[in-house]
Amino acid sequence: MSNYTLFDLVYRTMREMGTLIEGTATGGSTSTVADTVDRTEADDTYNGGTILVTYDAGGAGAAPQGEYDQVSDFANTSGVISARTGWTVAVAAGDRYAVAKKKYSLAWVKQCINRALQNLGEVPVTDTTTITTADGQTEYSLPATPLDLREVYIQNNNDDSDDNQWTPLHNCKEGVTATGTANLLILPYQPVSGYAIKLVYGANHPELVNASDKLSEEVPIERVVYAAASIALMDKAIRIDPMIMTRINNLDDKDAKAAAFSPIRNLPAKTARIILAYDFTDRVIEDEPNKVYL
């Protein structure tokens, strides 16, 4: 699982857009960030903007690090930025934060990030939780989300989460069911019960909604950040000066380089499969290399 979250995407996208001002809190609460040193702007400068807590002074990555919110008020006299909803833990002196004006709102940047994700098209998705083998069952419901199933594996060791010993299943079939009902994964024999099935399929990246939602490990973060920043700036182009257009062109160039040097893994094409028969308790018991299934 990727360690990158929607918070990371928002922070890095807004940083690439050049909209963030960063600082160190001199204090705070569960609903405010105070900076009596650097926040000298006029009252209400950041109202409607975005506030992100980027670093917890304890150094352990604990909350409120990784949390963001919309700014409800900014007071010049005390350098206090008030958050609309607030944090799960109070902001403390030494915590670092980033703040942006409302020109590019938090909701807008999140929308641009999800647009960038959708523009990637299909990405590999791995599912190890939907299906577990059961006695007397060779047909299992696949995830309801539309998918392009490419690879199927069965767990050979269910005693150690770090040593699953995934074994390919080459002769499975996908059964089509009624409209609105999830398709079936059809196995050619009855496996031992209690073992996980791993599905690898192509699908659009799920929408990211919450700050803690994870980016797929199959997607390099720069593939999303540069594209999202470009989308956000370009959509405001009618009000943008030539220097911002230069930034957009630079982001497009970075995005192209990221596509070249950080490719997303291509799933194998669907082909005829060679059947391998397994004893799923411990070993391969039969090999029929000349038997081919479509």
Side-chain angles (χ1 to χ4, degrees), residues 240-258:
I240 293 175
D241 63 35
M243 289 303 296
I244 297 297
M245 291 305 299
T246 299
R247 184 184 291 275
I248 291 174
N249 292 333
N250 185 43
L251 286 168
D252 287 340
D253 182 58
K254 285 183 177 180
D255 187 33
K257 290 179 180 177

Side-chain angles (χ1 to χ4, degrees), residues 29-66:
S29 68
T30 55
S31 60
T32 62
V33 173
D35 183 352
T36 58
V37 177
D38 294 320
R39 294 286 63 79
T40 58
E41 298 86 354
D43 282 346
D44 303 332
T45 294
Y46 298 106
N47 289 17
T50 304
I51 176 74
L52 309 93
V53 182
T54 59
Y55 179 74
D56 173 62
Q65 179 176 324

